[in-house]
Amino acid sequence: MHDALLITEVRSSILDFLVVDTAPHPRKPHPKHDLMPKDTRRAGRRALSALARTCRALSEPALDALWRRLHSLEPLLRCVRAKAISVVEVEPETLAPFHEEEWDIVLRYALRVQELTVSDVDTLSIKILQALWFHTTVLLPNLRKLCWSHNDITQFATIRLLLSPSLVDLSVWLDDGDHTSILAFLERYPTISPNIKSLRFSHLFQNSSPLAVAAISRAISRSPDLEVLNCHEIDGDAIFHLIQSPRLKEFSARLRHHRPDDFRRLARFSIPDCPPFRNLRVLNLYLEDISSITPCLHSTHQPFEEVSLEFFLITPKGLHEFFSALNSTTRQQTLRRIKLVDSGPGGIDPIQQLDFELLKPLLAFSLRRLDVDLRINPISLNDDELLQLVKAWPELEVFNLNQHNLWIPSRLPSLRSLLLMVARCPKLHTLGLCVDARTIPFLTAEELAIRNVLIKKLELGYSPIASPVVAGVAQFLLDHFPSLSGLSSRFPYSVDRRIQLYATMWREVSIQIEEARGENAPGESSDSDSEMYIDGP
């Protein structure tokens, strides 16, 4: 063995690098419910196995790395009953209990497991847990991360055998949440695993049953060390617990049934030395009204890095109040990502447009990502206003501004401003907005030299374009976006003949770009047909 491998730090770095290749990925992207986690590449696990057999000095640390992450309990069974695995997988019978000798072998390797995934089709792991039902010794005493997505609720009770005080990261599929075994789990896990710092609950339905909401809320309130929480509905007591938590750093939830007055009442209990969400970094909420969360944002102590809100109702006034409340000295230094999505039928006042003055508070931040998707209230930005916005964000990487919805036709930025925008934001790799592409702009020598090699797809939404300049627009985009492989323009269903014509012309632009890049051989169909479409009603 090389002397360098005797250095603990060097050896650990090599093993950790190989462990990365044991991360799970789906065997198939579709269908959704036919996924079985497997290693991203088998090379990492094979290399660790080889290292474990190389010499005694490497054997133990390599075995620890090899068994650190499992995507099923199958490897443990393979250690003692390799020949029985194929039979057990296809037969409905349960697995015979482990003998004492087999149990000792299993524990020898189980002590090394720190991460486990039980997928929705992993029936073998369920059978193994059933075979261990009456064992008093914890199967995985050093387990730190558990991801449970098995969808057979009748077998959910077996998750109890995987809970231990060492667990700090727990992700669980709860279905609708009102099954007896799920309610029992929610009542017991805070006691069995009191050190959980990251908690994620997934549901089949968007609206959980009242029993499940109450049980989840009680469980959250009994978890004082939570740093990451991702769940659906919770009650006011749980929200108050989270608002006051000094440890919570990431919070994602669906709080549509909570009104602005609820948050105002909860925020009123805060004191200057203990503001709401005082150490929160990431806020991701689904709300009825965007103004609901505004009362909790007036503190200057919240070091947000990312704010993502999906809401059902919005008014320009409510959005302006939200931006103004968000704008504090502390957050100006930390906030990097903002995402706002309107999922409702439209704003209360669909006539009022959203203009530069409303977006102006965002100039105080050093944004790297901005996603705004509003259904009804149209965006109004001209060339100068768009460039003034992005001038404040030289590190911008993602910019999506209502590319699938309305803009004011008379106040659209031009293709020239699109070019100057990427010049001011050299790290930009994702871009979506509406532009006026009915004319090809005259460019100076400096502007002709502008190139962006990071953007591979453009989303240009409702952008108007004229038939005579289709080829010119395609060449313009080819010249200044060398990596561009096509356009992803989505036009919602419209009876307006102009919108349908725009979609047809942009499809032609995308085809010309793809042909110029040589992406389609003669006779092959363009991929753009699957990405560029007119949604039906």
Side-chain angles (χ1 to χ4, degrees), residues 282-478:
V282 178
L283 181 66
N284 184 353
L285 300 179
Y286 179 81
L287 304 164
E288 174 73 15
D289 189 339
I290 193 173
S291 61
S292 298
I293 195 64
T294 303
C296 295
L297 299 180
H298 289 291
S299 168
T300 60
H301 301 285
Q302 299 155 329
F304 291 153
E305 297 174 3
E306 177 179 338
V307 174
S308 178
L309 301 180
E310 184 177 352
F311 41 85
F312 197 75
L313 296 175
I314 182 177
T315 63
K317 179 182 177 182
L319 192 59
H320 181 74
E321 290 176 350
F322 167 75
F323 284 149
S324 299
L326 198 62
N327 192 349
S328 72
T329 303
T330 301
R331 289 190 283 266
Q332 288 175 9
Q333 305 299 320
T334 61
L335 190 58
R336 296 292 179 267
R337 297 174 295 276
I338 296 178
K339 182 176 182 180
L340 303 175
V341 178
D342 173 14
S343 60
I348 295 176
D349 184 6
I351 299 176
Q352 191 169 358
Q353 63 192 29
L354 307 181
D355 55 17
F356 177 73
E357 289 300 319
L358 186 141
L359 299 172
K360 201 171 182 179
L362 298 180
L363 295 175
F365 305 110
S366 299
L367 294 182
R368 294 182 181 176
R369 181 181 187 118
L370 178 65
D371 288 279
V372 177
D373 188 7
L374 307 177
R375 292 198 176 197
I376 296 297
N377 299 93
I379 302 293
S380 174
L381 287 177
N382 59 26
D383 285 359
D384 293 337
E385 292 168 343
L386 176 62
L387 295 177
Q388 190 174 344
L389 273 180
V390 299
K391 183 180 179 180
W393 310 323
E395 301 294 317
L396 194 66
E397 299 175 6
V398 176
F399 183 86
N400 291 316
L401 186 58
N402 236 38
Q403 71 272 24
H404 299 148
N405 291 296
L406 294 174
W407 283 60
I408 299 296
S410 60
R411 284 179 55 82
L412 284 172
S414 65
L415 286 173
R416 179 176 177 271
S417 66
L418 185 72
L419 200 57
L420 296 178
M421 178 181 180
V422 299
R424 295 185 180 185
C425 305
K427 296 182 180 181
L428 197 65
H429 60 77
T430 301
L431 180 58
L433 74 165
C434 289
V435 297
D436 188 346
R438 289 173 291 190
T439 59
I440 306 298
F442 173 79
L443 302 177
T444 64
E446 292 80 4
E447 293 168 350
L448 286 170
I450 296 175
R451 298 289 186 274
N452 179 295
V453 297
L454 300 179
I455 295 176
K456 297 181 180 180
K457 283 284 186 181
L458 280 174
E459 294 194 68
L460 300 176
Y462 273 104
S463 299
I465 184 174
S467 180
V469 299
V470 165
V473 170
Q475 190 59 51
F476 178 91
L477 297 176
L478 284 166

Side-chain angles (χ1 to χ4, degrees), residues 158-179:
T158 55
I159 194 176
R160 176 182 62 83
L161 302 175
L162 299 174
L163 300 178
S164 68
S166 63
L167 203 61
V168 295
D169 190 321
L170 179 61
S171 299
V172 182
W173 171 263
L174 295 180
D175 194 61
D176 60 354
D178 61 357
H179 192 274

Side-chain angles (χ1 to χ4, degrees), residues 20 206 220 237 266 279 283 288 333 352 379 519:
V20 172
Q206 292 185 354
I220 290 172
D237 291 339
L266 293 172
N279 288 315
L283 181 66
E288 174 73 15
Q333 305 299 320
Q352 191 169 358
I379 302 293
E519 295 199 356

Side-chain angles (χ1 to χ4, degrees), residues 176-334:
D176 60 354
D178 61 357
H179 192 274
T180 304
S181 59
I182 292 179
L183 297 177
F185 158 78
L186 292 170
E187 188 66 30
R188 294 173 184 170
Y189 91 80
T191 302
I192 302 174
S193 304
N195 301 313
I196 289 179
K197 292 180 170 58
S198 178
L199 185 62
R200 296 174 178 86
F201 290 140
S202 301
H203 302 262
L204 179 62
F205 304 107
Q206 292 185 354
N207 296 322
S208 303
S209 69
L211 284 176
V213 171
I216 292 171
S217 300
R218 285 195 302 271
I220 290 172
S221 299
R222 294 167 59 197
S223 303
D225 296 328
L226 276 182
E227 296 179 2
V228 177
L229 175 63
N230 189 327
C231 62
H232 279 208
E233 288 288 342
I234 53 178
D235 61 24
D237 291 339
I239 295 176
F240 180 73
H241 168 76
L242 296 171
I243 284 178
Q244 299 298 319
S245 172
R247 295 181 175 87
L248 192 65
K249 297 179 180 178
E250 182 176 334
F251 179 36
S252 301
R254 299 179 62 87
L255 305 178
R256 183 175 170 183
H257 297 296
H258 293 272
R259 299 293 183 263
D261 289 342
D262 297 335
F263 286 94
R264 290 191 187 96
R265 185 174 61 257
L266 293 172
R268 198 176 300 127
F269 288 100
S270 302
I271 58 177
D273 293 335
C274 188
F277 298 127
R278 58 186 177 277
N279 288 315
L280 197 67
R281 301 292 191 274
V282 178
L283 181 66
N284 184 353
L285 300 179
Y286 179 81
L287 304 164
E288 174 73 15
D289 189 339
I290 193 173
S291 61
S292 298
I293 195 64
T294 303
C296 295
L297 299 180
H298 289 291
S299 168
T300 60
H301 301 285
Q302 299 155 329
F304 291 153
E305 297 174 3
E306 177 179 338
V307 174
S308 178
L309 301 180
E310 184 177 352
F311 41 85
F312 197 75
L313 296 175
I314 182 177
T315 63
K317 179 182 177 182
L319 192 59
H320 181 74
E321 290 176 350
F322 167 75
F323 284 149
S324 299
L326 198 62
N327 192 349
S328 72
T329 303
T330 301
R331 289 190 283 266
Q332 288 175 9
Q333 305 299 320
T334 61

